[in-house]
C-alpha cells in the first residue's frame, strides 16, 4: 500500500527525514510512533505530495508520491490535526462541496457518521471546537470508503471522550481499509495498530508487526544459586541487563517459546528459576528506543 | 468540477465581489452622468472611486484565490481529488464572471449613456475588458497565488511599493535615462512592460498551480517587478526603429527639412498666442538653468500637415573641444498656409555652462527624431454649449469656464482616439482664429487605459479667449464667442523620420527670448 525507499527530506540544512525505509502492508493498521519533531508529519506530507522528497521516493497505492493524481487521492482519506478547512462554510455546505469529487461517496454513510459523531450540519466550520474539527475531518474522510486512511496525530488535543468517539467511529468504519496513523502517544495506538514503526530524529529505528513485537519481547528474571553476575559475553538480543542480589534481569528481544535451563547455565551459572513475562508496549518501546540510540539492533 | 469550485468561491466571496462591482458601477455613473466624462482622471472623487475600484478588484481576486491557497501545507484542498487545472480554471472563471462581467456591463452602460451605439459600446468594452483582464487581473491572480492571506498580500504590497518607490525616487527625470517615457512612443514601453507582466503572470500561475513552487514564484515576481522598472530605461533608437516600421506612408517625409534660421530673429512671444502669465514664463530664468530659443525653420511641409518632435539629442561643443549634452524641449509645428514653418524650441542650459559660453561661438549638433502627420478630418461645434458626436473623436461638449477666460472642450470616445489633434477657436463670419493648440498623444495602435474602469477615453482642452490682465489680445474674444466655433482637427501619422541639424558657430547669449509686448 505504501513503500518508502530511502526517503530523505531536508529543510535548509536540517535533515527532517534521514533515509526512511518502511512498508505499510495492505489491510494493516500501521502506527508511526515518535516524539514531537521526530518527522511523522513530514513523512505523511511526503506521502500526500504536499512536500517533495529531497532524495529517495515513496510509493503510495502503487504510484510515486510525486505523481499522485486525483485518481489516487479519491482513494485516500486524510485527517490531520492541522487541516485548514474553509471556516466560513457550514459542515453541511462543505460536505456538499466535497461530495462530487468522490465517485464512491456514500450519502447514507455520511449521514450515519454525522449522526454518530454528533456534528451539527448547520454550524460553520470556523465555529467548531478543536475536537469537533477533528471529527469533521474524519467525517470528510470516511464517506467515500477510502482504501487508505491516513491519520496525522488525530488524537492530539482531544479529550478522552471525544477520542473514544473518534476511535469508535474509526474502528467501526475501518473494514478492509489500510490505516496509517501517526502519534506520539503509545497508549493511543495500543489495541488498534497491527504494525508499528518508531521514528526518532528523522530516522526509522524499527518497524514490525505488533504480534511479532509483543511475542518476541520478554522481561526475564533469572534467579541463581549464588550472587548473580552479568555474563562475560552478553548475547546481543539481551537488553538492559541488570543484577540485583542473586537475580539477573534483562529484556530478551528474541524470545521464541520457552527457556531451557541449560541455555542459561553456561552464561550465568547455577539457575534456580527463570521467570519470563510478556512486556507492555511502552516498555518494549523504551527498550527498543534505548537500544537503537545506543547503536545496537533489537 | 470547475463550475463546482467556482460556486464555492462565489458563496464565500460574493459580498466582496458585489462591493467591487458596486464601486465600478458607481464610478461609471459618476463619470458618465455626473461629470459627463470630462477630466475623469483629474476629478478627485472619481479618482478615489477608480483607485477604490482597483483595490476592491484586487481584494476580490485575492480572496477567491486564497480560498484554496497555494502556499502552505495545511490546506484541505491539497489532499482532495481536485485537478490543478480545474482549480486554476475555476479561479479564472471567477475573475471573468465576478470581476470582469460586472465591469464589462458597467462599461457598456456608461458608453450607451454617453450616446454611443451598442456596437461601438460593445466593441470598446470588449477591448477594454480584454486588456484589463490581461494586464490587471491576471497579475492580481498571479500575486494572489503566491500569497496565503491578507497579511501576505499587505507585506508583499509594502515590499513591492517600497522597491518601486526607491527605484523611482533614485531615477532622475532625464530624457537621457528614460528617453521613451512621455513621448508618443511610450506605448512601446508600456506594451513591452505589459507583455513582460502578462508573460510573468502566466509563468507564476503555472508554477504555482501545477508545481506549487511558491519560493520560485516569489523570486520570479520580484525579478518581474525589477524588469518592469527597468523597462522605463528602454533605449530610444530601437523603440524609434520599431515605430518607424509601423509608418502608414513610409518615405512621405522625404521633402521635409529642418534648418537653423538666424534671420528669423529672437523669440518674441506673440501677442494673443499666450496669456501674459505664459509669456512671462518664457523669460523666467532661475539659478540653475538658462533658456534660449533657437529659430528652426521647417520646410517642405504640405499645408495640411504637421511635424511632431519625439526626441532630440543636443551636443554642444566648445571651441576647446569640450562636449556637453543638453536637452531641447520637444516641439511641434504646423505650417500656416505656406509650406514652411518657424519654431523656437527651448534649450535649457545649466547656469554655470551658460555663463561660460554665452558670448563664445559654440558648435551645436542636434539630432531630431520626428513624426510627420497629415490632417485627416476637421470638425466644429459651437463654442458655447456645443454638444455633438464626431467620428473618431466621440462626443464633445463645450462650455465657458468659471473664470470666463477659456472655452472648455471636453470629449469622450469609446475606445481609441487619434494620435494628434489641433484645436482652435474660429469666428465663423470672419474666419479669424485664435492660436491653435496642437498636440500629439500616443501613436499606439491600441489605446485603452485599463487603469480606468470604463472604456471611455476622455480628453479635452481649454481654449483661452481672454487674458484677465488685459495684456494679451485674442482675435476671437468673449464678445465673439456666440458666433464662434471650436474646431477639432484630427491628424494621422504618416511617417517617422530623423533630421540632423548642425550649427557650426552660434553665440547662445544672442538667443534669449525678447520681452513680450
Amino acid at each position: 500500500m505504501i513503500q518508502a525507499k530511502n526517503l530523505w527530506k531536508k529543510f535548509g540544512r536540517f535533515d527532517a527525514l534521514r533515509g526512511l525505509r518502511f512498508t505499510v502492508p495492505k489491510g494493516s493498521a500501521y502506527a508511526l510512533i515518535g516524539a514531537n519533531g521526530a518527522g511523522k508529519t513530514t513523512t505523511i506530507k511526503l506521502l500526500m505530495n504536499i512536500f517533495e522528497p529531497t532524495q529517495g521516493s515513496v510509493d503510495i497505492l502503487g504510484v510515486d508520491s510525486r505523481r499522485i493524481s486525483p485518481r489516487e487521492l479519491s482513494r485516500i482519506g486524510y485527517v490531520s490535526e492541522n487541516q485548514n478547512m474553509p471556516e466560513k462554510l457550514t459542515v453541511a455546505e462543505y460536505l456538499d462541496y466535497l461530495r462530487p469529487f468522490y465517485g464512491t461517496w456514500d450519502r447514507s454513510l455520511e449521514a450515519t457518521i454525522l449522526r454518530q459523531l454528533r456534528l451539527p450540519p448547520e454550524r460553520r466550520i470556523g465555529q467548531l471546537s478543536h475536537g469537533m474539527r477533528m471529527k469533521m475531518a474524519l467525517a470528510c474522510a470516511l464517506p467515500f470508503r477510502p482504501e487508505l486512511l491516513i491519520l496525522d496525530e488525530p488524537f492530539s488535543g482531544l479529550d478522552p471522550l471525544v477520542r473514544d468517539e473518534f476511535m469508535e467511529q474509526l474502528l467501526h468504519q475501518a473494514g478492509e481499509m489500510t490505516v496509517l496513523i501517526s502519534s506520539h502517544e503509545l497508549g493511543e495506538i495500543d489495541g488498534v495498530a497491527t504494525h508499528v514503526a518508531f521514528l526518532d530524529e528523522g530516522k526509522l529505528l524499527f518497524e514490525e508487526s505488533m504480534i511479532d513485537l509483543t511475542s518476541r519481547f520478554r522481561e526475564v528474571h533469572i534467579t541463581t544459586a549464588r550472587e548473580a553476575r552479568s555474563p562475560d559475553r552478553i548475547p546481543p538480543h539481551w537488553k538492559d541487563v541488570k543484577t540485583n542480589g542473586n537475580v539477573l534481569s534483562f529484556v530478551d528481544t528474541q524470545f521464541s517459546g520457552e527457556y531451557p535451563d541449560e541455555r542459561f547455565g553456561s552464561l550465568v551459572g547455577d539457575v534456580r528459576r527463570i521467570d519470563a513475562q510478556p512486556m507492555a508496549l511502552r516498555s518494549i518501546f523504551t527498550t527498543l528506543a534505548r537500544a537503537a540510540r545506543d547503536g545496537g539492533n533489537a | 468540477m470547475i463550475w463546482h469550485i467556482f460556486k464555492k468561491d462565489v458563496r464565500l466571496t460574493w459580498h466582496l465581489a458585489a462591493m467591487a462591482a458596486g464601486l465600478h458601477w458607481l464610478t461609471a455613473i459618476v463619470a458618465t452622468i455626473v461629470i459627463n466624462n470630462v477630466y475623469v482622471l483629474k476629478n478627485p472623487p472619481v479618482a478615489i472611486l477608480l483607485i477604490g475600484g482597483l483595490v476592491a478588484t484586487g481584494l476580490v481576486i485575492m480572496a477567491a484565490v486564497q480560498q484554496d491557497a497555494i502556499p502552505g501545507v495545511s490546506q484541505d484542498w491539497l489532499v482532495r481529488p481536485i485537478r490543478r487545472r480545474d482549480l486554476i480554471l475555476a479561479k479564472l472563471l471567477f475573475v471573468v464572471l465576478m470581476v470582469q462581467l460586472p465591469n464589462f456591463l458597467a462599461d457598456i452602460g456608461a458608453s450607451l449613456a454617453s450616446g454611443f451605439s451598442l456596437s461601438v459600446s460593445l466593441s470598446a468594452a470588449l477591448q477594454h475588458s480584454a486588456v484589463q483582464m490581461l494586464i490587471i487581473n491576471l497579475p492580481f491572480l498571479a500575486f494572489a497565488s503566491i500569497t496565503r492571506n491578507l497579511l501576505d498580500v499587505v507585506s508583499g504590497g509594502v515590499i513591492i511599493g517600497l522597491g518601486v518607490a526607491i527605484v523611482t525616487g533614485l531615477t532622475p527625470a532625464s530624457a537621457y535615462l528614460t528617453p521613451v517615457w512621455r513621448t508618443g512612443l511610450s506605448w512601446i514601453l508600456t506594451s513591452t512592460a505589459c507583455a513582460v507582466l502578462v508573460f510573468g503572470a502566466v509563468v507564476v500561475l503555472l508554477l504555482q498551480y501545477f508545481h506549487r513552487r511558491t519560493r520560485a514564484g516569489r523570486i520570479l515576481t520580484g525579478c518581474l517587478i525589477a524588469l518592469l522598472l527597468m523597462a522605463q530605461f528602454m533605449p530610444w533608437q530601437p523603440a524609434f526603429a520599431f515605430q518607424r516600421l509601423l509608418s502608414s506612408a513610409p518615405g512621405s517625409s522625404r521633402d521635409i527639412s529642418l534648418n537653423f534660421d538666424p534671420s528669423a530673429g529672437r523669440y518674441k512671444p506673440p501677442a494673443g498666442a499666450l496669456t501674459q502669465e505664459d509669456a512671462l514664463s518664457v523669460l523666467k530664468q532661475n539659478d540653475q538653468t538658462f533658456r534660449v530659443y533657437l529659430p528652426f525653420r521647417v520646410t517642405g511641409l504640405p499645408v495640411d500637415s504637421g511635424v511632431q518632435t519625439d526626441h532630440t539629442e543636443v551636443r554642444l561643443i566648445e571651441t576647446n573641444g569640450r562636449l556637453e549634452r543638453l536637452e531641447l524641449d520637444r516641439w511641434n509645428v504646423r505650417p500656416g498656409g505656406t509650406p514652411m514653418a518657424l519654431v523656437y524650441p527651448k534649450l535649457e542650459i545649466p547656469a554655470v555652462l551658460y555663463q561660460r559660453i554665452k558670448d563664445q561661438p559654440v558648435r551645436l549638433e542636434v539630432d531630431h527624431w520626428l513624426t510627420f502627420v497629415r490632417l485627416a478630418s476637421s470638425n466644429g461645434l459651437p463654442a458655447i454649449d456645443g454638444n455633438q458626436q464626431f467620428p473618431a473623436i466621440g462626443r464633445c461638449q463645450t462650455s465657458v469656464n468659471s473664470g470666463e477666460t477659456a472655452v472648455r472642450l471636453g470629449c469622450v470616445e469609446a475606445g481609441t482616439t487619434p494620435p494628434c489633434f489641433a484645436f482652435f477657436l474660429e469666428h465663423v463670419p470672419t474666419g479669424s482664429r485664435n492660436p491653435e493648440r496642437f498636440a500629439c498623444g500616443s501613436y499606439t495602435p491600441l489605446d485603452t487605459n485599463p487603469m480606468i474602469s470604463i472604456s471611455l477615453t476622455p480628453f479635452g482642452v481649454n481654449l483661452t479667449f481672454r487674458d484677465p490682465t488685459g495684456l494679451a489680445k485674442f482675435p476671437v474674444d468673449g464678445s465673439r464667442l456666440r458666433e464662434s466655433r471650436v474646431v477639432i482637427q484630427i491628424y494621422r501619422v504618416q511617417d517617422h523620420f530623423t533630421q540632423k541639424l548642425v550649427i557650426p558657430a552660434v553665440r547662445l547669449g544672442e538667443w534669449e527670448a525678447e520681452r513680450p509686448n
Side-chain angles (χ1 to χ4, degrees):
Chain A
M1 211 42 135
I2 298 172
Q3 193 173 19
K5 304 164 203 165
N6 190 30
L7 203 56
W8 286 78
K9 181 66 188 173
K10 279 173 182 267
F11 293 108
R13 288 182 178 178
F14 172 67
D15 288 324
L17 295 181
R18 299 185 285 170
L20 249 57
R21 290 173 202 275
F22 64 89
T23 303
V24 178
K26 191 174 180 185
S28 64
Y30 193 99
L32 202 56
I33 303 296
N36 290 330
K40 304 182 296 292
T41 298
T42 303
T43 307
I44 286 176
K45 293 207 184 298
L46 282 165
L47 292 176
M48 299 301 290
N49 194 27
I50 295 172
F51 291 149
E52 276 196 7
T54 309
Q55 196 184 316
S57 66
V58 57
D59 289 349
I60 181 165
L61 297 172
V63 176
D64 188 312
S65 66
R66 284 166 290 204
R67 287 178 183 78
I68 199 167
S69 70
R71 194 175 150 205
E72 285 78 39
L73 287 171
S74 67
R75 296 155 64 199
I76 302 171
Y78 175 88
V79 176
S80 166
E81 61 168 331
N82 300 316
Q83 209 161 335
N84 286 345
M85 290 175 278
E87 302 211 329
K88 286 180 186 165
L89 289 184
T90 64
V91 169
E93 283 171 344
Y94 195 48
L95 287 167
D96 287 345
Y97 173 65
L98 291 181
R99 212 172 290 131
F101 291 109
Y102 297 92
T104 55
W105 192 282
D106 183 338
R107 285 199 77 155
S108 62
L109 178 59
E110 173 200 316
T112 308
I113 293 167
L114 276 186
R115 197 172 50 249
Q116 287 174 347
L117 289 174
R118 294 199 297 276
L119 276 167
E122 72 294 343
R123 182 88 56 88
R124 284 191 174 186
I125 294 172
Q127 293 169 342
L128 296 176
S129 66
H130 176 68
M132 292 287 254
R133 277 191 202 211
M134 291 305 292
K135 286 185 185 178
M136 173 68 191
L138 189 66
C140 295
L142 291 177
F144 55 95
R145 301 184 192 280
E147 289 171 45
L148 173 64
L149 181 64
I150 296 177
L151 306 163
D152 186 12
E153 297 274 8
F155 311 113
S156 177
L158 296 191
D159 64 57
L161 187 65
V162 176
R163 189 165 65 194
D164 288 350
E165 282 177 350
F166 187 98
M167 254 351 259
E168 191 183 319
Q169 189 57 236
L170 182 61
L171 293 172
H172 187 67
Q173 301 298 335
E176 301 285 299
M177 201 188 291
T178 304
V179 180
L180 171 67
I181 183 167
S182 81
S183 179
H184 62 273
E185 213 16 85
L186 275 170
E188 290 172 346
I189 57 117
D190 205 358
V192 180
T194 59
H195 291 70
V196 66
F198 189 76
L199 207 55
D200 182 54
E201 293 180 353
K203 283 183 82 171
L204 194 70
L205 299 189
F206 67 88
E207 68 159 340
E208 197 161 5
S209 85
M210 213 64 154
I211 293 171
D212 289 351
L213 196 66
T214 49
S215 61
R216 75 181 171 91
F217 273 77
R218 285 294 182 273
E219 191 176 332
V220 182
H221 301 282
I222 300 172
T223 310
T224 55
R226 286 179 229 150
E227 186 161 349
R229 60 176 174 82
S230 293
D232 295 333
R233 287 183 58 216
I234 298 173
H237 53 90
W238 286 19
K239 305 293 175 192
D240 290 347
V241 180
K242 285 178 271 188
T243 57
N244 186 5
N246 60 340
V247 177
L248 172 75
S249 304
F250 62 92
V251 173
D252 186 358
T253 63
Q254 284 181 5
F255 177 70
S256 57
E258 289 185 11
Y259 290 120
D261 288 356
E262 59 273 20
R263 187 177 150 191
F264 294 115
S266 60
L267 289 169
V268 297
D270 187 12
V271 175
R272 290 282 174 83
R273 186 173 168 221
I274 302 170
D275 185 20
Q277 297 291 332
M279 289 171 69
L281 194 58
R282 183 175 296 280
S283 306
I284 295 174
F285 264 81
T286 310
T287 308
L288 285 171
R290 201 174 292 149
R293 280 183 184 168
D294 294 344
N297 292 322
Chain B
M1 287 299 144
I2 298 165
W3 185 250
H4 188 63
I5 301 168
F6 164 77
K7 280 194 299 181
K8 182 257 301 173
D9 290 340
V10 171
R11 190 192 294 263
L12 290 167
T13 58
W14 66 269
H15 51 290
L16 276 173
M19 185 187 76
L23 270 171
H24 288 301
W25 276 88
L26 192 61
T27 310
I29 290 168
V30 172
T32 314
I33 297 168
V34 181
I35 63 162
N36 269 330
N37 295 304
V38 179
Y39 302 121
V40 167
L41 292 174
K42 290 180 183 169
N43 187 296
V46 181
I48 290 168
L49 282 173
L50 285 172
I51 294 166
L54 204 61
V55 171
T57 297
L59 285 178
V60 178
I61 294 173
M62 303 286 165
V65 170
Q66 288 171 356
Q67 295 306 320
D68 303 285
I70 309 292
V73 293
S74 306
Q75 303 89 304
D76 193 60
W77 76 268
L78 292 172
V79 297
R80 303 290 169 197
I82 298 173
R83 288 183 194 283
R84 305 282 174 92
R85 187 198 60 199
D86 288 359
L87 196 62
I88 189 172
L89 289 176
K91 303 303 174 187
L92 281 168
L93 183 67
F94 182 91
V95 173
V96 170
L97 294 185
M98 300 301 288
V99 178
Q100 290 293 142
L101 186 63
N103 286 9
F104 177 71
L105 294 175
D107 228 353
I108 291 179
S111 200
L112 288 171
S114 300
F116 295 99
S117 69
L118 182 62
S119 61
V120 169
S121 304
L122 262 174
S123 155
L126 268 174
Q127 181 186 322
H128 185 250
S129 196
V131 174
Q132 212 170 32
M133 177 72 194
L134 282 174
I135 69 169
I136 292 186
N137 294 338
L138 207 60
F140 269 148
L141 259 178
F143 184 59
S145 76
I146 55 169
T147 57
R148 255 174 306 194
N149 46 41
L150 193 60
L151 186 67
D152 272 7
V153 172
V154 173
S155 319
V158 168
I159 291 169
I160 292 170
L162 275 175
V164 171
I166 289 168
V167 174
T168 313
L170 291 178
T171 308
S174 159
Y176 287 115
L177 278 174
T178 56
V180 183
W181 197 241
R182 293 196 181 92
T183 70
L185 280 69
S186 61
W187 72 274
I188 298 174
L189 194 150
T190 48
S191 301
T192 307
C194 289
V196 169
L197 194 64
V198 172
F199 175 76
V202 170
V203 173
V204 168
L205 282 171
L206 294 178
L207 262 180
Q208 284 299 85
Y209 276 92
F210 293 100
H211 302 282
R212 292 184 64 239
R213 295 267 187 262
T214 300
R215 184 180 293 180
R218 287 177 178 171
I219 291 170
L220 182 64
T221 303
C223 294
L224 273 173
I225 289 162
L227 204 60
L228 288 179
L229 289 171
M230 295 302 288
Q232 64 179 317
F233 304 113
M234 178 184 278
W236 176 258
Q237 306 272 11
F240 191 79
F242 179 71
Q243 183 68 58
R244 207 167 187 172
L245 292 176
L246 303 177
S247 297
S248 61
S252 55
S253 60
R254 71 175 70 86
D255 296 333
I256 301 171
S257 66
L258 184 63
N259 297 291
F260 175 58
D261 183 4
S263 65
R266 286 165 67 192
Y267 179 53
K268 186 174 166 186
L274 301 160
T275 63
Q276 182 70 359
E277 194 180 55
D278 287 339
L280 288 171
S281 76
V282 168
L283 298 167
K284 215 179 277 171
Q285 312 284 15
N286 62 34
D287 294 343
Q288 277 89 42
T289 58
F290 272 81
R291 298 166 181 179
V292 295
Y293 298 83
L294 298 170
F296 289 172
R297 193 167 293 281
V298 187
T299 56
L301 272 175
V303 173
D304 59 349
S305 68
V307 165
Q308 167 77 31
T309 319
D310 297 312
H311 180 63
T312 57
E313 285 180 10
V314 181
R315 290 176 297 281
L316 184 150
I317 304 155
E318 295 178 50
T319 44
N320 59 7
R322 189 168 166 181
L323 174 79
E324 298 284 349
R325 291 182 186 280
L326 301 173
E327 289 185 23
L328 190 71
D329 243 18
R330 284 199 290 268
W331 50 270
N332 57 56
V333 70
R334 289 206 322 106
T338 60
M340 70 167 115
L342 189 66
V343 66
Y344 285 89
K346 179 176 72 185
L347 180 66
E348 292 212 342
I349 308 168
V352 176
L353 174 65
Y354 184 72
Q355 295 301 347
R356 190 172 73 232
I357 52 116
K358 67 175 183 178
D359 298 321
Q360 298 172 15
V362 292
R363 179 183 170 88
L364 271 186
E365 294 175 0
V366 188
D367 289 325
H368 277 95
W369 283 265
L370 305 156
T371 292
F372 172 51
V373 296
R374 290 199 84 151
L375 181 66
S377 69
S378 187
N379 306 277
L381 76 163
I384 301 172
D385 300 330
N387 185 348
Q388 260 175 276
Q389 194 169 338
F390 306 104
I393 297 172
R395 177 160 296 282
C396 296
Q397 291 174 311
T398 54
S399 59
V400 175
N401 69 357
S402 56
E404 297 191 340
T405 56
V407 170
R408 195 163 65 182
L409 169 75
C411 300
V412 60
E413 170 65 324
T416 312
T417 55
C420 302
F421 286 99
F423 306 95
F424 54 87
L425 274 172
E426 182 184 61
H427 184 238
V428 178
T430 60
S432 57
R433 296 172 174 185
N434 278 4
E436 68 178 25
R437 291 280 170 108
F438 177 77
C440 287
S442 170
Y443 307 137
T444 176
L446 179 77
D447 197 352
T448 181
N449 189 345
M451 305 304 278
I452 302 176
S453 59
I454 51 173
S455 63
L456 301 175
T457 309
F459 62 98
V461 67
N462 280 337
L463 297 169
T464 308
F465 61 82
R466 186 173 75 87
D467 171 16
T469 63
L471 293 172
K473 303 293 178 200
F474 293 89
V476 182
D477 59 12
S479 65
R480 301 175 105 182
L481 276 187
R482 293 246 162 245
E483 298 163 322
S484 300
R485 62 177 192 155
V486 171
V487 177
I488 309 166
Q489 295 181 326
I490 296 173
Y491 286 79
R492 299 271 179 203
V493 173
Q494 302 295 303
D495 195 14
H496 302 279
F497 63 107
T498 56
Q499 288 269 313
K500 183 167 184 171
L501 185 66
V502 178
I503 309 170
V506 59
R507 284 187 174 82
L508 291 174
E510 294 171 1
W511 297 103
E512 287 182 21
E514 280 183 28
R515 288 207 152 268
N517 292 333

